[in-house]
Amino acid sequence: MVLKQTACLLMAAAFATAFIPDACSQSHAAPTANAYLGFDRNNYPGDQNLKTLRQTFSYTGFWLNQPPSAKANPWTGKRRKLQSAGFGFLVLFNGRLFNELKSV
């Protein structure tokens, strides 16, 4: 469980850093790309927290199915609310483990 959560956080961090310009190669030029900071949680943060979160974050991880170790998806039905708050999306899907796949 912790390993899956760590992997999701690392994926989100890698996605975010892909937009940060390389400081070494542009030491004399002004950066031309923007950095976009996002967040990823298994539990939906709540509608009342979106405005505060949007002050810092540009996008959010958005679960299409149940997050790891969850019995339900708390993100279901929240896409429009997040979009109207100004968030972009990093789509997340919790795939099955190898031993959960049926052999052919």
Side-chain angles (χ1 to χ4, degrees):
M1 177 176 91
V2 173
L3 184 60
K4 279 186 175 181
Q5 290 173 340
T6 303
C8 288
L9 289 174
L10 289 174
M11 182 175 53
F15 182 81
T17 57
F19 294 102
I20 299 173
D22 184 3
C24 297
S25 66
Q26 296 185 10
S27 59
H28 298 295
T32 57
N34 293 325
Y36 299 96
L37 189 60
F39 75 95
D40 171 35
R41 294 182 44 107
N42 288 353
N43 295 320
Y44 182 72
D47 296 342
Q48 70 280 7
N49 296 319
L50 295 181
K51 185 176 179 181
T52 304
L53 287 167
R54 184 61 183 98
Q55 292 173 359
T56 304
F57 301 108
S58 300
Y59 70 93
T60 180
F62 185 82
W63 286 98
L64 295 179
N65 65 344
Q66 296 172 343
S69 302
K71 303 249 187 268
N73 184 356
W75 292 85
T76 301
K78 302 297 183 178
R79 182 185 161 283
R80 287 187 189 199
K81 180 67 93 170
L82 289 160
Q83 192 173 25
S84 67
F87 284 100
F89 299 98
L90 173 64
V91 178
L92 302 172
F93 185 83
N94 186 18
R96 293 181 284 178
L97 299 174
F98 182 76
N99 62 355
E100 295 172 333
L101 298 173
K102 294 181 180 181
S103 60
V104 177

